[in-house]
Amino acid sequence: MPMAMTDPLSCDGHVHTSLCGHATGEMEDYVQAALAQGLAEIIFLEHFEWGIDYFERTWLFPADFVRYQQEGERLSARYGGRIKVGVGVEVGLNLEGLAETRAFIDSYPWARVGLSYHFLACGQGGHLNMVSRKARNTIGLARLGHDEVLRLYLAGLLRGVRELPVSAVCHLDAVLRHSADVQWQDEHRQLVTAILHAMAERGVALEVNTSGLALGRDAFPAAWIRDQARAIGLNFVYGSDAHRPEDVGRYFNSDQLKETT
């Protein structure tokens, strides 16, 4: 469960580092950036994926998680009294590896377990990255059909919420963010509602992710999803999805976000 805080926007709860292979900067650089932003807490949320067949690595290997935990402990001790430092994990969903994913989650004392769903198995073998701007992904997903990809994504996320011990759902509607002409149908909206109710039943928080604002759009998820979540009493947590130290806490002072607290 996410830690209750007087001001949820005083914690950046979704931060990546060079450990994941597609971000820059060391963990300590991000702690110092959070201090400069006046934050009270930072939670690292590095990627875990199981069984993904993809042409580049965007997640940590098992040995990386050992070093990750050790460095988090060192930073927590060094900066204690100035800022709270948490080590969490962004668990990528693979419906064929739920037991293995559950075992991994149980193997460390995480500050937060965020659930995301990046990689969709495709019929010709391998996986497509649903949140990538690379042509091989956007073209492949278009061939599958955006309506079907969105349905599979949301149905899978619903199962993940119900079956995995997670504490937050990350950037719920960020799927297909780089694909054109994506239309949300009634079926998709009904699945979103089912996900939110499943989250409420299991005490899972909804992450408000400011990376959407960096793309010139709304935060993830969109206002209509946040409104539903608020109506059923979900807790909100906030994350910048920083991949550079200077991105820590980005847009946390925007009026748009303050309205959700």
Side-chain angles (χ1 to χ4, degrees):
M1 291 290 295
M3 184 186 74
M5 300 183 67
T6 302
D7 179 6
L9 285 167
S10 67
C11 172
D12 189 341
H14 190 149
V15 170
H16 298 284
T17 74
S18 59
L19 281 171
C20 71
H22 62 284
T24 61
E26 302 303 314
M27 291 174 68
E28 191 158 6
D29 299 330
Y30 287 81
V31 173
Q32 292 174 351
L35 280 168
Q37 290 289 331
L39 297 178
E41 182 175 6
I42 184 171
I43 300 176
F44 295 95
L45 216 66
E46 293 289 18
H47 290 281
F48 168 83
E49 300 283 351
W50 183 91
I52 299 302
D53 180 6
Y54 192 62
F55 73 97
E56 62 180 352
R57 179 180 69 90
T58 59
W59 55 88
L60 277 63
F61 292 127
D64 296 326
F65 281 105
V66 175
R67 294 190 294 112
Y68 176 47
Q69 287 280 343
Q70 291 172 342
E71 180 65 359
E73 291 174 3
R74 184 187 75 82
L75 294 172
S76 183
R78 178 171 183 179
Y79 291 92
R82 299 173 63 193
I83 188 170
K84 186 173 182 179
V85 177
V87 174
V89 62
E90 181 177 353
V91 171
L93 187 65
N94 182 343
L95 295 175
E96 296 180 356
L98 292 176
E100 292 83 356
T101 301
R102 192 178 300 110
F104 171 79
I105 292 171
D106 291 341
S107 65
Y108 289 103
W110 304 108
R112 177 172 298 165
V113 180
L115 177 65
S116 64
Y117 191 5
H118 290 87
F119 296 98
L120 183 68
C122 56
Q124 294 138 349
H127 291 81
L128 294 171
N129 188 338
M130 293 180 281
V131 298
S132 170
R133 62 169 57 90
K134 294 184 177 179
R136 63 176 291 165
N137 293 304
T138 57
I139 292 171
L141 294 167
R143 286 175 180 158
L144 290 172
H146 290 153
D147 284 359
E148 179 64 3
V149 170
L150 192 51
R151 185 192 67 80
L152 290 170
Y153 167 81
L154 293 169
L157 205 57
L158 176 59
R159 186 175 170 193
V161 169
R162 288 173 170 167
E163 298 190 30
L164 292 175
V166 302
S167 54
V169 171
C170 301
H171 42 62
L172 192 155
D173 65 347
V175 62
L176 296 171
R177 63 185 173 189
H178 298 297
S179 299
D181 302 323
V182 177
Q183 301 293 324
W184 287 71
Q185 308 296 336
D186 288 343
E187 178 185 23
H188 304 140
R189 293 175 182 271
Q190 290 166 7
L191 280 168
V192 167
T193 299
I195 291 168
L196 296 178
H197 281 282
M199 291 167 63
E201 291 169 6
R202 296 180 61 85
V204 176
L206 179 67
E207 180 198 78
V208 179
N209 186 300
T210 61
S211 65
L213 294 168
L215 296 172
R217 299 165 55 180
D218 195 358
F220 299 121
W224 68 270
I225 298 177
R226 300 198 301 267
D227 288 345
Q228 280 197 35
R230 189 182 301 106
I232 65 175
L234 286 185
N235 289 327
F236 289 176
V237 293
Y238 295 82
S240 65
D241 215 333
H243 284 64
R244 306 175 302 169
E246 56 264 38
D247 291 338
V248 173
R250 59 181 170 176
Y251 300 106
F252 275 29
N253 291 323
S254 71
D255 292 338
Q256 184 180 20
L257 286 194
K258 290 176 181 178
E259 291 173 358
T260 70
T261 58

